[in-house]
Amino acid sequence: MARLIAIMSMSLDGFVADPEDGVTEVFGWQFTSGDVEVNTGGADAMTLRMSAPSAAHYLGLTSELGAVLTGRRTFDKAEGWGGNHAWGPAFVLTHHVPDGWPRAGSAVHFVTDGLDSAVQQAKDAAGEKAVGVHGADTIQQLLNAGLLDELAIDVAAVLLGSGVRLFDQLDAAPVLGDPSVVQGVGVTHLRYPVSRAEHPSPGTR
Ligand SMILES: NC(=O)c1ccc[n+]([C@@H]2O[C@H](COP(=O)([O-])OP(=O)(O)OC[C@H]3O[C@@H](n4cnc5c(N)ncnc54)[C@H](OP(=O)(O)O)[C@@H]3O)[C@@H](O)[C@H]2O)c1
């Protein structure tokens, strides 16, 4: 069964976007940390330039993926990835399918019947590969439901002070295993196995 891997770039103080939903700061390592060129693929393909350790980490991780699961806000901010996400078929959690979608020739699908359905559809599409998950709200729902297998967090060497937090809506304290660590330039790549949460986290709702 396909594994679910949350993949997010995060500031040292825990933000995945600035107060205007901007991600330039947390993704800076993908564009300016070195000379190794990496083409993202997908309909909105970009050439990234990063350090050799970050490039190896990025290529290794993305080669594991066969589908994507995100929330609607990530889809909106990414302008639908041009209709085809680099990581494979994309499943977007939403209460309302956006106007003009789904589109012919696009592998972006909208899921309006809840988290479990989205997970099942994404896993089915990924087959033997893993599902990459984007979106702070979506990732926290998966953590709260005990459905996430791994947190792959790129900790960017920036402090934002405010913005979209990644871990502010946890109902429980997920148990994390020891991380693998890759040191880049201006970023540290951490991959934590996640165990099912078994006890309430202190001070949460
Ligand atoms: N740093 C990074 O690596 C990275 C990566 C991706 C995104 N981002 C940033 O993160 C932000 C987006 O994350 P986010 O946490 O705000 O939102 P998100 O998880 O992308 O999307 C949340 C939205 O998805 C829909 N949704 C979620 N769960 C649902 C459910 N169970 N059933 C039906 N609909 C559901 C709802 O939208 P509706 O009610 O409108 O349908 C909800 O408001 C943006 O600022 C983006 O730029 C950063």
Side-chain angles (χ1 to χ4, degrees), residues 7-9 16-17 21 23 26-27 71-74 77 93-96 115 134-138 141 164:
I7 303 171
M8 294 292 274
S9 287
V16 295
D21 284 313
V23 291
V26 294
F27 278 126
R72 171 67 183 274
R73 292 196 70 238
T74 294
K77 296 302 163 191
L93 270 165
T94 187
H95 292 97
H96 307 285
L115 188 69
H134 257 171
D137 176 37
T138 302
Q141 288 184 57
V164 179

Side-chain angles (χ1 to χ4, degrees), residues 5-8 30 40-42 58 61-70 84-90 129-134:
I5 308 176
I7 303 171
M8 294 292 274
Q30 292 192 348
T40 60
Y58 180 93
L61 178 55
T62 54
S63 73
E64 296 176 24
L65 307 176
V68 191
L69 172 59
T70 80
N84 283 294
H85 197 291
W87 299 345
K129 300 190 108 180
V131 178
V133 188
H134 257 171

